[in-house]
């Protein structure tokens, strides 16, 4: 069995075990290296398909840990052959882990998707603007207003023609309410759009550490 | 899709005195077949459609039953698309095994 990793947190005050089940219904515990600790559970060494159930499990563990800690997120499906290999990897990338943890310390990620109605012709006649013009105006205002509250933002993939934009924001934990209030205002102003607001998430889109493991 | 591979393809090589490998046509055909399959099962488009289906469900635009039905179909297509992508032209792969 390998060590499936969900994320890295500061070791200080971290428990030995978390009260939640992980991938393959295994117990979730911590594996320490210096002042950091990996949140992990026992799992077979294999290529993990990102099925809805499996990704949901990964997400639930990450969110559970996020409630009390700043989590340096690890991508879905990262499994190490042994505890020793995991600790050795943490040792090799330790400075990078510390740097990224500092960057996201006390911050979380919030997702904002703005979605056009199904019937674009009706939408354009109601708003009196072309879809492109409407998106441009609205995107500018969203980025400007939300960007003042957030630390950083990133563009996500436009996986649907109905997506006006898809953005992730890195926000300090104590500014979540401000961010939500501002988003609500914008949502009311641009109400022909549907808004999908998600989070708080670990800062998946704001850390970029590539660690080679099985199949990677 | 109908593919016609006839002798015309071999003529320049025959005149040049090059002996064709026995599996030449198999390789050409497999490459064309793979390309056709990639067009039938475009990986990125299927991945996007999975996300779009989820988005419509979360917005309450489709029912749980509709979501699950579409999700199942798309995941089957995704399995095939992944197999097509990994398809080794030198080896026969049963792509319909997926999902």
């Amino acid at each position: 069995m390998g060590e499936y990793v969900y994320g890295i947190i500061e070791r200080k005050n971290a428990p030995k075990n978390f009260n939640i089940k992980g991938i393959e219904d295994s117990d979730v515990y911590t594996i320490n290296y210096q002042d950091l600790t990996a949140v992990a559970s026992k799992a077979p060494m294999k290529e993990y398909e990102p099925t809805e159930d499996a990704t949901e499990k990964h997400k639930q563990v990450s969110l559970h840990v996020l409630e009390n800690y700043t989590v340096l997120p690890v991508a879905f499906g990262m499994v190490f052959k042994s505890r020793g290999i995991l600790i050795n990897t943490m040792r090799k990338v330790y400075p990078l882990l510390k740097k990224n943890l500092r960057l996201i310390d006390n911050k979380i990620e919030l997702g904002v998707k703005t979605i056009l109605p199904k019937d674009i012709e009706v939408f354009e006649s109601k708003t009196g603007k072309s879809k492109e013009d409407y998106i441009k105006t609205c995107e500018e205002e969203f980025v400007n207003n939300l960007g003042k509250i957030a630390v950083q933002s990133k563009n996500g993939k436009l996986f649907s023609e109905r997506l006006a934009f898809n953005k992730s924001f890195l926000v300090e934990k104590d500014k979540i309410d401000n961010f939500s209030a501002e988003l609500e205002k914008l949502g009311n102003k641009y109400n022909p759009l549907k808004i999908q607001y998600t989070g708080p998430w670990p800062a998946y889109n704001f850390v970029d550490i590539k660690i080679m493991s099985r199949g990677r | 899709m109908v593919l016609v591979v006839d002798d015309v393809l071999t003529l320049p090589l025959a005149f040049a005195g090059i002996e064709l490998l026995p599996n030449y046509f198999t390789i050409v055909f497999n490459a064309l077949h793979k390309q056709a399959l990639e067009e039938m099962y475009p990986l990125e488009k299927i991945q996007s459609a999975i996300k779009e289906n989820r988005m419509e469900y979360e917005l309450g635009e489709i029912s749980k039953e509709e979501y699950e039905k579409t999700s199942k179909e798309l995941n089957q297509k995704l399995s095939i698309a992944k197999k097509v992508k990994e398809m080794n032209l030198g080896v026969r792969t049963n792509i319909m095994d997926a999902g």
Side-chain angles (χ1 to χ4, degrees):
Chain A
M1 291 285 259
E3 301 287 354
Y4 184 99
V5 180
Y6 303 87
I8 310 281
I9 59 175
E10 293 280 356
R11 183 174 177 176
K12 194 180 163 192
N13 302 325
K16 278 188 176 175
N17 296 286
F18 284 96
N19 189 23
I20 190 168
K21 294 286 183 188
I23 294 271
E24 307 272 332
D25 223 22
S26 297
D27 293 337
V28 178
Y29 48 83
T30 49
I31 297 175
N32 303 325
Y33 175 73
Q34 292 205 9
D35 56 346
L36 300 181
T37 188
V39 179
S41 65
K42 287 275 178 224
M45 285 294 294
K46 64 176 186 182
E47 193 86 38
Y48 283 85
E49 282 291 318
T51 60
E52 209 163 303
D53 285 350
T55 52
E56 184 62 24
K57 220 35 159 185
H58 182 102
K59 189 176 94 180
Q60 288 309 324
V61 173
S62 304
L63 292 179
H64 180 79
V65 180
L66 187 70
E67 282 173 16
N68 294 308
Y69 304 91
T70 297
V71 182
L72 192 57
V74 168
F76 172 83
M78 185 74 89
V79 57
F80 292 81
K81 202 172 176 181
S82 68
R83 181 176 282 245
I85 292 174
L86 170 60
I87 291 172
N88 200 28
T89 308
M90 286 169 77
R91 181 179 60 77
K92 281 183 185 164
V93 294
Y94 178 79
L96 204 53
L97 296 175
K98 289 292 285 182
K99 185 183 154 198
N100 277 276
L101 261 172
R102 271 197 302 274
L103 178 80
I104 61 164
D105 186 34
N106 219 24
K107 300 178 189 81
I108 47 83
E109 181 174 319
L110 297 170
V112 178
K113 292 187 188 80
T114 49
I115 302 146
L116 297 158
K118 276 190 174 172
D119 195 332
I120 293 296
E121 280 179 22
V122 173
F123 167 78
E124 288 183 334
S125 71
K126 264 187 188 171
T127 58
K129 280 186 177 182
S130 72
K131 169 186 145 185
E132 290 76 18
D133 286 346
Y134 191 88
I135 290 175
K136 192 169 177 274
T137 316
C138 134
E139 187 172 4
E140 273 172 13
E141 194 167 346
F142 271 70
V143 169
N144 186 44
N145 295 14
L146 298 176
K148 281 179 189 162
I149 304 165
V151 180
Q152 268 188 62
S153 70
K154 288 260 169 85
N155 286 326
K157 196 177 169 195
L158 297 179
F159 55 80
S160 164
E161 284 184 2
R162 291 181 57 200
L163 273 175
F165 52 85
N166 175 15
K167 293 183 187 295
S168 300
F169 294 87
L170 186 67
V171 180
E172 285 173 3
K173 281 183 179 171
D174 60 4
K175 290 190 178 165
I176 297 176
D177 289 345
N178 287 357
F179 189 93
S180 304
E182 184 57 38
L183 185 62
E184 196 179 342
K185 265 192 237 166
L186 290 164
N188 290 334
K189 182 172 177 184
Y190 292 97
N191 74 3
L193 294 178
K194 287 186 176 180
I195 293 179
Q196 202 174 40
Y197 179 36
T198 60
W201 307 111
Y204 284 102
N205 287 298
F206 299 92
V207 291
D208 187 24
I209 304 173
K210 290 184 173 58
I211 299 169
M212 300 302 283
S213 177
R214 191 188 185 284
R216 280 162 198 274
Chain B
M1 183 177 181
V2 179
L3 293 169
V4 181
V5 183
D6 66 19
D7 287 346
V8 177
L9 281 171
T10 67
L11 280 176
L13 296 171
F15 281 119
I18 296 168
E19 193 181 333
L20 291 174
L21 293 169
N23 63 351
Y24 174 77
F25 284 116
T26 313
I27 293 168
V28 172
F29 186 80
N30 280 352
L32 292 171
H33 181 56
K34 186 181 180 193
Q35 191 181 339
L37 285 169
E38 280 174 347
E39 281 167 19
M40 275 173 71
Y41 298 99
L43 187 65
E44 278 207 17
K45 277 192 185 171
I46 296 168
Q47 286 169 331
S48 292
I50 288 173
K51 287 182 188 168
E52 189 174 38
N53 184 44
R54 177 83 202 174
M55 180 182 87
E56 288 183 349
Y57 172 59
E58 285 172 353
L59 290 172
E61 293 179 350
I62 55 171
S63 68
K64 193 174 184 196
E65 289 72 31
E66 283 174 294
Y67 163 70
E68 283 174 347
K69 184 174 173 276
T70 310
S71 179
K72 194 178 169 190
E73 288 166 2
L74 288 169
N75 276 305
Q76 279 171 349
K77 282 186 181 175
L78 182 68
S79 298
I80 297 173
K82 280 182 178 171
K83 286 210 170 190
V84 170
K85 200 170 181 211
E86 290 163 6
M87 207 163 140
N88 182 342
L89 292 180
V91 179
R92 280 183 181 276
T93 308
N94 182 7
I95 59 161
M96 301 316 287
D97 231 9

